[in-house]
């Protein structure tokens, strides 16, 4: 009898995300008999997720099975695929801290989960937990593939490849395909007629080509159309979130010649150009949503109360295909049927103008041999230069984690484009002190500092 895959979810209490992945998986015939092992430290969220998975199985009429665990290593035993989706420290207290402490220095952020002082702190408290998963995987499922959906994605991927290079891992985000869908919508074109190639780092990759298939089978460059639509006020069209009008990325297109794959609200805080103390005109002109991520967290928490009850009382849970890559990867590895995804992996020379050891986001061929990154070569020099400013911060954060040298945390903050544009050196040092003290036990022991009011 054919063996079915074992798919372990670490952080399975991220129920809506888990539901989307499991829904995709169970609709693929080769995966429909999978054992779904759900692990979370929150028993209530774990139980809610188990209810959802069992109803998905019943709705689809497949032979999959769900198991629940609070012990990580037991959940990982004999896994073929490990999906990781958690947020260490949650909205409260850690996200609130990442926003409120910098705000006392006049440093404003939008998302704070990838770069900047918020991204650095999130990396410091997240990577040790990812390393523990790697340690457990090497013990009980050494050939499993880790599908990592955790921010800060680039820091996480880099840190895993540094400490546990033998782990088969890929960092996954939906910004590449999601932005391509947005741009097709802005130009009133069917998404399935678009062809693109993207490369860079997570949240700062660029479409090196963005084209539309013509009736004769040839392809037409869409960049002139995008620039024209922006200058004529036809793009960007209103999106899902009225607080985020997406003007930053279009403005950068006119300056760089290429469109970046992550949203305007993210991109605004990866550069020194858009969020400046005393410049409300920039916030207004580009529609920059300060403190956006905390607002989303509050809204999601509120929505979940109703959603959890709806799932619990529903007889069936209908399943729509998501735009996540996870099920495509699993299907290709399991069956050998090839697919192409965009993944975050150790660069290893794929992008020749970026450091070999950084985490690059590139197209990858997936088949029975696993995830195989595709060679890109040099990026245009202006893109390389901008991306390097973000890699500096990622590299120093990883160096801090690997060496347990707290000085490198301050160095990472010094190199952050937005932080350095707003604060002087004394302010940066003091801010990092305050953030490390405020996060306390959420950080690894070597990174902690005493609060200012504590006795020495």
């Amino acid at each position: 009898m054919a063996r079915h895959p074992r798919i372990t979810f670490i952080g399975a209490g991220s129920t809506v995300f888990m539901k989307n992945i499991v829904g995709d998986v169970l609709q693929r015939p080769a995966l429909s008999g999978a054992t779904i092992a759900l692990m979370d430290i929150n028993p209530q969220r774990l139980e809610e997720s188990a209810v959802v998975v069992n109803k998905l199985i019943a709705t689809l009429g497949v032979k999959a099975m769900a198991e629940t665990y609070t012990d990580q290593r037991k959940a990982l035993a004999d896994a073929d695929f490990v999906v990781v989706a958690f947020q260490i420290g949650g909205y409260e207290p850690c996200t609130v801290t990442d926003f409120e402490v910098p705000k006392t220095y006049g440093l404003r952020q939008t998302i704070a989960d990838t770069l900047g002082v918020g991204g650095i702190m999130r990396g410091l408290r997240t990577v040790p937990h990812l390393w523990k998963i790697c340690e457990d995987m090497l013990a009980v499922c050494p050939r499993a593939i880790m599908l990592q959906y955790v921010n800060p994605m680039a820091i996480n991927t880099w840190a895993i490849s540094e400490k546990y290079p033998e782990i088969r891992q890929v960092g996954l985000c939906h910004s590449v395909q999601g932005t391509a869908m947005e741009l097709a919508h802005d130009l009133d074109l069917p998404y399935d007629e678009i062809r693109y190639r993207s490369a860079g780092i997570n949240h700062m990759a660029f479409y090196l080509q963005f084209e539309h298939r013509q009736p004769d089978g040839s392809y037409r460059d869409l960049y002139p159309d995008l620039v024209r639509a922006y200058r004529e006020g036809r793009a960007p069209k209103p999106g899902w979130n009225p607080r985020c009008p997406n003007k930053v990325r279009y403005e950068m297109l006119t300056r760089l010649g290429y469109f970046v794959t992550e949203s305007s609200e993210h991109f605004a805080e990866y550069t020194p150009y858009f969020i400046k103390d005393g410049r409300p005109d920039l916030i207004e002109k580009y529609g920059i949503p300060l403190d956006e991520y905390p607002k989303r967290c509050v809204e999601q928490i509120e929505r979940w109360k109703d959603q959890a009850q709806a799932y619990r009382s529903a007889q069936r849970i209908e399943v729509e295909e998501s735009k996540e890559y996870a099920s495509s990867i699993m299907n290709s590895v399991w069956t050998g049927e090839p697919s192409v995804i965009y993944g975050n992996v150790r660069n290893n020379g794929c992008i020749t103008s970026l450091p070999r050891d950084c985490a690059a986001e590139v197209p990858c061929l997936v088949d029975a041999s696993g995830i195989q990154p595709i060679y890109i070569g040099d990026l245009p020099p202006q893109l390389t230069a901008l991306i390097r400013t973000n890699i500096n911060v990622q590299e120093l954060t990883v160096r801090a984690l690997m060496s347990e040298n707290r000085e490198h945390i301050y160095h990472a903050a010094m190199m952050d484009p937005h932080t350095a544009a707003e604060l002087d050196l004394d302010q940066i040092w003091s801010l990092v002190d305050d953030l490390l003290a405020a996060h306390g036990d959420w950080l690894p022991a070597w990174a902690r500092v005493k609060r200012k009011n504590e006795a020495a």
Side-chain angles (χ1 to χ4, degrees):
M1 192 172 76
R3 188 171 80 86
H4 296 295
R6 179 177 175 83
I7 304 167
T8 298
F9 285 80
I10 304 296
S14 302
T15 307
V16 174
F17 173 79
M18 181 277 310
K19 165 190 162 285
N20 292 339
I21 301 292
V22 172
D24 290 345
V25 164
L26 297 183
Q27 291 181 87
R28 293 185 180 267
L31 308 177
S32 63
T35 296
I36 309 293
L38 305 172
M39 183 270 160
D40 203 279
I41 58 172
N42 182 325
Q44 180 184 339
R45 293 299 296 262
L46 183 60
E47 190 263 342
E48 289 167 349
S49 289
V51 167
V52 169
V53 172
N54 282 312
K55 288 186 178 180
L56 285 171
I57 291 169
T59 299
L60 292 167
V62 294
K63 294 183 178 178
M65 295 187 305
E67 300 172 353
T68 58
Y69 297 86
T70 53
D71 183 295
Q72 179 171 283
R73 188 169 287 202
K74 287 180 180 176
L76 288 167
D78 300 321
D80 298 291
F81 304 99
V82 178
V83 181
V84 186
F86 53 53
Q87 182 182 345
I88 303 301
Y91 165 59
E92 289 182 312
C94 287
T95 293
V96 171
T97 299
D98 285 341
F99 276 85
E100 293 304 315
V101 174
K103 210 183 289 184
T104 65
Y105 288 80
L107 183 65
R108 304 297 297 274
Q109 299 169 99
T110 53
I111 306 293
D113 69 355
T114 296
L115 211 72
V117 289
I120 293 166
M121 292 298 140
R122 195 169 176 133
L124 293 174
R125 61 181 187 263
T126 300
V127 166
H129 293 271
L130 291 169
W131 280 347
K132 184 63 173 74
I133 294 171
C134 294
E135 185 183 312
D136 287 346
M137 286 176 66
L138 290 175
V140 299
C141 59
R143 293 297 296 160
I145 295 177
M146 179 194 283
L147 310 180
Q148 190 249 122
Y149 279 95
V150 184
N151 279 320
M153 177 72 64
I155 288 171
N156 295 342
T157 304
W158 193 333
I160 290 170
S161 71
E162 283 288 307
K163 193 172 178 74
Y164 293 100
E166 61 272 54
I167 288 287
R168 303 169 78 197
Q169 61 139 342
V170 62
L172 296 170
C173 182
H174 49 239
S175 61
V176 173
Q177 64 271 41
T179 292
M181 293 174 188
E182 287 180 52
L183 295 182
H185 174 67
D186 282 352
L187 294 177
D188 296 313
L189 294 172
Y191 174 66
D192 60 8
E193 294 178 7
I194 300 294
R195 180 176 76 171
Y196 57 83
R197 170 163 282 205
S198 169
I201 59 173
N202 183 239
H203 287 190
M204 198 181 271
F206 291 84
Y207 296 108
L208 305 178
Q209 298 167 310
F210 198 80
E211 301 170 326
H212 179 223
R213 187 174 69 247
Q214 302 302 291
D216 65 359
S218 64
Y219 282 84
R220 184 171 68 83
D221 179 16
L222 288 175
Y223 270 136
D225 299 49
L226 287 168
V227 172
R228 192 178 310 114
Y230 176 56
R231 288 187 166 143
E232 292 175 0
R234 294 181 286 109
K237 291 182 177 176
W240 67 274
N241 186 343
R243 294 191 297 262
C244 305
N246 204 24
K247 293 179 182 177
V248 166
R249 290 194 289 176
Y250 272 95
E251 185 63 28
M252 291 302 292
L253 166 64
T254 70
R255 311 290 178 153
L256 296 172
Y258 297 87
F259 204 92
V260 73
T261 54
E262 187 47 84
S263 68
S264 286
E265 57 269 26
H266 278 87
F267 194 80
E269 66 182 8
Y270 303 158
T271 59
Y273 314 122
F274 297 100
I275 306 172
K276 292 181 177 292
D277 189 35
R279 291 296 305 275
D281 57 308
L282 293 174
I283 303 300
E284 177 69 26
K285 179 178 180 180
Y286 295 110
I288 295 166
L290 297 174
D291 301 322
E292 172 62 21
Y293 187 60
K295 293 185 178 81
R296 290 185 194 176
C297 290
V298 170
E299 290 165 358
Q300 287 167 356
I301 291 165
E302 197 54 42
R303 270 201 309 272
W304 176 245
K305 294 175 185 174
D306 295 333
Q307 187 67 68
Q309 186 54 45
Y311 283 148
R312 195 175 287 282
S313 58
Q315 293 299 308
R316 297 167 55 85
I317 296 180
E318 298 303 326
V319 186
E320 292 183 14
E321 186 178 351
S322 81
K323 58 187 178 185
E324 306 293 353
Y325 287 129
S327 72
S328 173
I329 293 169
M330 294 178 199
N331 186 68
S332 291
V333 171
W334 200 252
T335 67
E337 178 187 334
S339 63
V340 174
I341 60 108
Y342 278 85
N344 292 271
V345 295
R346 192 178 193 275
N347 184 24
N348 282 344
C350 290
I351 301 177
T352 44
S353 55
L354 298 182
R356 283 187 62 84
D357 58 349
C358 80
E361 187 169 82
V362 293
C364 302
L365 169 68
V366 190
D367 60 17
S369 297
I371 296 159
Q372 299 147 82
I374 292 169
Y375 176 82
I376 296 294
D378 280 0
L379 297 177
Q382 70 274 28
L383 303 187
T384 294
L386 190 59
I387 290 168
R388 279 177 178 161
T389 68
N390 282 217
I391 286 177
N392 292 336
V393 182
Q394 296 159 6
E395 179 173 25
L396 285 161
T397 306
V398 173
R399 293 285 170 265
L401 285 154
M402 288 294 294
S403 65
E404 299 189 356
N405 179 352
R406 204 165 66 203
E407 289 288 302
H408 288 327
I409 303 171
Y410 300 84
H411 299 153
M414 279 175 63
M415 298 303 155
D416 178 63
H418 174 44
T419 304
E422 293 285 272
L423 305 183
D424 66 32
L425 287 170
D426 286 340
Q427 289 174 312
I428 293 171
W429 241 251
S430 180
L431 170 57
V432 172
D433 281 342
D434 288 352
L435 282 166
L436 295 177
H439 279 305
D441 292 347
W442 288 106
L443 298 173
W446 60 266
R448 297 172 198 162
V449 302
K450 291 185 182 295
R451 297 174 188 271
K452 287 180 176 177
N453 59 356
E454 286 181 358

